[in-house]
Every structure is written in C-alpha cells, then in structure tokens.
Amino acid sequence: MFTKIKNRMKSDEPVKYLFTGDSITHAALHTFGWRDYSEHFSERVRFEMGRVRDFVFKTGISGWTTAEVREDIEWNILQHNPDIVSIMLGMNDCATTREISQADYRDNYNFILDEIEKRNSALVMLHTMNPIWDVAKDLRGRLPEYVEIIREIGKERQLPVVDHYAFWTQKIEQAPDLFNYWMSDSIHPNNFGHIVFAHLLFRELGIFDSASNTCRLFSPGLE
C-alpha cells in the first residue's frame, strides 16, 4: 500500500508533504516544546536523508473534526498543492459532544479524499489515532468504531494506513505502564508518544534507520 509514496519519496523532484488533523497533529501544549511527529518526519527527510528541497507543512488545528477540514479544505489543504497528504482525524469526531455520526464521519472523510484526488491528485496516507485512557471513554468511548472506519476507507480506496491504534494497543497490552509514559493527558500523546508515532511512520515508509539521530530518539518501550 505504501509503494507509491515510497517511490515518490525517492524521486529526484522535490516533494511537498502536508500533515493535517486535529490537536494531536497540531501538538500544541502537550509536547511541552518538544517536536511532534510531523517535525520528526521533517528532520528525518529534509536533513538526515538530504532532501533539503522537500517541504513539510502542518495544518492540524486543535479541536477540529472532519467537518471543519471539509468546510476549510481549500485553505487547509488544497492551496498548498501538496504531493503527499497525511491525515489523522477522528479523535474529536467520535466525541459525544460533537454529534458527528459515523455516517457523517465517513461522508466527510470521503469528501476530503475526493477533493484531494480531483484537485491535486496527491498521494494520501491515513493514520488511525492513539488509544485513550479509560477516564476519557465517557466522552470518546466510540473511538474504536471510528478507527475501524479509517481502516475500511483505506481498504476501499486502496490507501495506506499507518495504524497507530493497533501498534499502541499491542504495546500497552504487553506493558501497561507505557500508556502513562506516552501520554500527556487522557487523549493527547506527549513528546514520547509523538516519537512513537514518528518511528512507526518511518518503518511503514521504509525510512527507519537505527543509525540516524531521529530514529535513535528515546521513548520508553521502543526498541
């Protein structure tokens, strides 16, 4: 599934990457001044891999859902004319206070993907979100169902999915204390959690190199 993106990343032509999402991608506050996963990606690609003319844009906005991105898609995504788009949306959509039904979530997500395909023809990769603490499940207990929709959309549209939810779940089942080390609060990853995000993304894209500084960044529970 990642083959087209891998090949594009090897091109002699510069690549424009765009990371959109909500507060997890925005990474305001909860990384406490440390880099987030899109910034680790930028360091890995633009410096360590020597692709200095590649650009990485981050347009994630705290509190946003697929509805806001759909409404603001021209400014948030399309104006940048990206070559590769990374999407991590759903943590707010699944909240009971937002009233984004699963049907609307799916429709919004597909609208965003249709517009990207129609207007920019960019390659797209989807991300599932991280799991949440039990204390947050009163508000976001439907999260696994929205995660599954992302997987279904990826399968239906033949798009690659970076499945953070599955990776985190497996790791936490093996070592429950990792959940405390990787999270800032009940829903937001901290600086260590963003390293976990970045390393899984690197591995899926085939750019993980244990000799690089970015890939050697410490996060509890990572090899």
Side-chain angles (χ1 to χ4, degrees), residues 1 15 19 39 79 82 85 87 106 108 110 113 122 130 150 162 168 171 193 206:
M1 286 288 194
V15 179
F19 286 73
E39 292 166 331
Q79 67 155 329
V85 177
I87 303 174
R106 186 187 295 273
N108 289 339
N110 277 309
L113 296 172
N130 53 278
I150 296 171
V162 184
W168 282 50
K171 286 289 188 179

Side-chain angles (χ1 to χ4, degrees), residues 168-207:
W168 282 50
T169 299
Q170 180 185 37
K171 286 289 188 179
I172 292 164
E173 286 175 352
Q174 297 168 353
D177 285 347
L178 290 178
F179 221 179
N180 297 321
Y181 290 122
W182 293 355
M183 298 288 280
S184 166
D185 63 9
S186 59
I187 65 173
H188 296 94
N190 61 17
N191 53 305
F192 292 129
H194 277 268
I195 291 171
V196 178
F197 278 167
H199 283 194
L200 181 60
L201 175 59
F202 295 164
R203 291 184 184 279
E204 293 285 23
L205 294 176
I207 61 172

Side-chain angles (χ1 to χ4, degrees), residues 77-171:
I77 299 174
L78 301 179
Q79 67 155 329
H80 304 288
N81 196 28
D83 299 299
I84 297 175
V85 177
S86 165
I87 303 174
M88 186 189 290
L89 285 165
M91 187 63 80
N92 295 318
D93 294 75
C94 76
T96 55
T97 56
R98 299 307 295 268
E99 299 182 352
I100 306 290
S101 69
Q102 293 180 38
D104 287 343
Y105 177 65
R106 186 187 295 273
D107 183 63
N108 289 339
Y109 217 127
N110 277 309
F111 177 90
I112 292 165
L113 296 172
D114 287 342
E115 288 300 299
I116 293 171
E117 182 178 359
K118 179 170 63 179
R119 296 281 302 280
N120 287 86
S121 300
L123 300 175
V124 178
M125 56 182 164
L126 314 182
H127 297 253
T128 62
M129 296 69 72
N130 53 278
I132 57 177
W133 287 351
D134 288 343
V135 70
K137 290 183 179 177
D138 284 347
L139 182 60
R140 290 177 166 83
R142 300 180 299 167
L143 175 62
E145 299 165 26
Y146 286 68
V147 166
E148 190 57 36
I149 290 173
I150 296 171
R151 294 171 180 151
E152 291 171 359
I153 290 174
K155 187 175 295 185
E156 291 164 3
R157 302 182 73 118
Q158 295 294 293
L159 295 174
V161 178
V162 184
D163 200 342
H164 301 287
Y165 191 93
F167 181 81
W168 282 50
T169 299
Q170 180 185 37
K171 286 289 188 179

Side-chain angles (χ1 to χ4, degrees), residues 19-84:
F19 286 73
T20 193
D22 50 37
S23 60
I24 295 174
T25 299
H26 190 172
L29 175 62
H30 295 282
T31 51
F32 303 99
W34 295 87
R35 284 174 171 163
D36 63 59
Y37 74 101
S38 71
E39 292 166 331
H40 289 307
F41 177 84
S42 180
E43 175 75 359
R44 177 77 189 110
V45 171
R46 298 189 68 234
F47 175 68
E48 292 182 348
M49 296 175 61
R51 295 187 59 90
V52 295
R53 294 185 67 235
D54 286 3
F55 291 151
V56 179
F57 303 89
K58 180 176 71 171
T59 64
I61 298 178
S62 295
W64 275 31
T65 67
T66 52
E68 282 84 10
V69 175
R70 174 176 182 158
E71 179 68 21
D72 200 42
I73 191 169
E74 184 70 41
W75 179 261
N76 191 270
I77 299 174
L78 301 179
Q79 67 155 329
H80 304 288
N81 196 28
D83 299 299
I84 297 175

Side-chain angles (χ1 to χ4, degrees), residues 209-223:
D209 181 355
S210 58
S212 85
N213 288 328
T214 303
C215 297
R216 293 206 313 266
L217 286 171
F218 171 75
S219 184
L222 286 188
E223 299 176 357

